[in-house]
Amino acid sequence: MTATPANTSVSVFRLSPLIRITLLSLYIALTVPLPFLSQVTAAPVSPALLWVGISIGFIALYAILTEQVIINDQEIQVTYPAWVPRFFRKGWVLPWSEVKELKPRSTGQGGLVYYFLSQDGKAYLLPMRVAGFARLVKFVETKTGIDTTDVRPLAQPWMYLILLGFTLLLLLVDAWTITTALALGKLT
C-alpha cells in the first residue's frame, strides 16, 4: 500500500457479508456430500482425497472472498490479507489522477461491469460486490469527476437472498441424505 499523509482519511470496503455467506454456504452444500457418496458407491476416488480437495477449495474460495477496497484522497486499491499468496490474488493500486474514464462492459450473462481506464490504457475492474457500494461509487465520482449515476451493482441483494434460501434447502437435503446413508449402515 502506498504511504499516505497523516491527515488523509482512509475508507475500507469489504465484500458484502451476504455474498460471502451465500457463496461459502453454496460451496459447502455442493461439495460436502461428495466424500460420503464416494464411499457409498465405492467410487475410485477415495473420500480422504475428496476431503483434502474440498478443504483446499474452501481455503481458496475464502481467500478470494477476503478482497477489500481501500480508498483515500490519492488512490483506490484492491488488496487481500497478507496470508493470501500474491500469485493467487494480486490486487492493484490506481491513483485518482491516473483515472481517465469508467467504461461499462457487458458480461456473458447480460449484466454490466465497469472498468477504470487509466491514462496509459490499462483496465481495472471496479469492485461491485462490496458492502457500501453506493458510497464507494459516490467517492469515485467525487475524486474523478466521472458521472456515476448509471453505475449499479452487478447483482442486487435480493438475488443473493434467493440463492441463500435455495442453498439452505440444499443443505437440508444434504443432511437428510447423509443421515439416511449413516442410518442404513452404508457408511462406517
Side-chain angles (χ1 to χ4, degrees), residues 34-36 38 45-55:
L34 296 177
F36 297 100
S38 171
V45 179
S46 76
L49 184 60
L50 286 171
W51 281 119
V52 168
I54 289 167
S55 299

Side-chain angles (χ1 to χ4, degrees), residues 92-168:
W92 51 266
V93 177
L94 180 62
W96 295 119
S97 60
E98 290 294 313
V99 176
K100 187 166 116 180
E101 64 180 309
L102 194 59
K103 190 95 172 154
R105 300 263 167 89
S106 61
T107 66
Q109 296 80 27
L112 275 181
V113 293
Y114 294 86
Y115 285 87
F116 290 109
L117 291 183
S118 66
Q119 299 294 343
D120 61 359
K122 291 183 182 174
Y124 301 86
L125 181 65
L126 173 68
M128 300 180 77
R129 292 184 172 100
V130 296
F133 180 73
R135 192 167 55 96
L136 172 66
V137 169
K138 197 49 94 176
F139 201 92
V140 168
E141 184 171 359
T142 301
K143 294 315 271 174
T144 63
I146 297 170
D147 180 24
T148 60
T149 53
D150 293 333
V151 176
R152 304 274 183 265
L154 182 60
Q156 298 298 321
W158 62 267
M159 295 175 184
Y160 282 97
L161 283 171
I162 290 172
L163 181 58
L164 181 59
F166 282 116
T167 299
L168 294 174

Side-chain angles (χ1 to χ4, degrees), residues 74-93:
Q74 285 79 39
E75 63 193 15
I76 180 170
Q77 176 181 17
V78 173
T79 186
Y80 296 86
W83 64 268
V84 177
R86 297 208 31 90
F87 69 84
F88 184 65
R89 297 299 279 185
K90 190 174 175 183
W92 51 266
V93 177

Side-chain angles (χ1 to χ4, degrees), residues 4 7-10 71-76 96-97 139 143:
T4 57
N7 62 353
T8 300
S9 66
V10 175
I71 57 174
N72 59 40
D73 291 334
Q74 285 79 39
E75 63 193 15
I76 180 170
W96 295 119
S97 60
F139 201 92
K143 294 315 271 174

